[in-house]
Amino acid sequence: MDPFSSPSTGSSSSQFNPDVFKDQLKNQLAQAYAEEFLETLRAKCFDKCVTKPGSSMSGSESSCISRCMDRYVEATGIISKALFSGPPQ
């Protein structure tokens, strides 16, 4: 949706719609964060677990990557919760 369109009709107008702009910005930031998160996750786990790159991964490399990704996702969730939940009560 265009930030210069009406949210109810979708028709274009010359008036800027801050709500539409905020939604677009949130979506773009979420997309960028997700891409960066996955790239970081891939790089860290690959570097840690794949010591001798070849044409295929060994079973131990595959399970190491799986555990690494699980831990990284869990740690990120804990950190996010602590940052965004506000002060402890």
Side-chain angles (χ1 to χ4, degrees):
M1 185 183 285
D2 182 347
F4 289 97
S5 65
S6 167
S8 59
T9 64
S11 64
S12 200
S13 70
S14 62
Q15 185 147 3
F16 178 74
N17 187 327
D19 292 330
V20 171
F21 179 75
K22 282 188 229 177
D23 287 343
Q24 287 178 339
L25 185 58
K26 283 180 189 178
N27 289 339
Q28 289 175 352
L29 288 171
Q31 176 74 27
Y33 174 76
E35 289 173 7
E36 183 178 344
F37 176 78
L38 290 174
E39 177 57 26
T40 300
L41 180 64
R42 184 210 55 79
K44 287 187 180 296
C45 292
F46 185 86
D47 290 347
K48 177 182 178 352
C49 297
V50 181
T51 56
K52 297 177 186 164
S55 60
S56 63
M57 287 195 305
S58 70
S60 62
E61 290 172 333
S62 182
S63 65
C64 177
I65 286 178
S66 180
R67 285 191 313 272
C68 176
M69 291 174 64
D70 289 344
R71 283 194 305 265
Y72 195 82
V73 169
E74 181 181 6
T76 301
I78 291 168
I79 292 167
S80 295
K81 191 181 289 186
L83 288 173
F84 298 114
S85 66
Q89 297 178 359

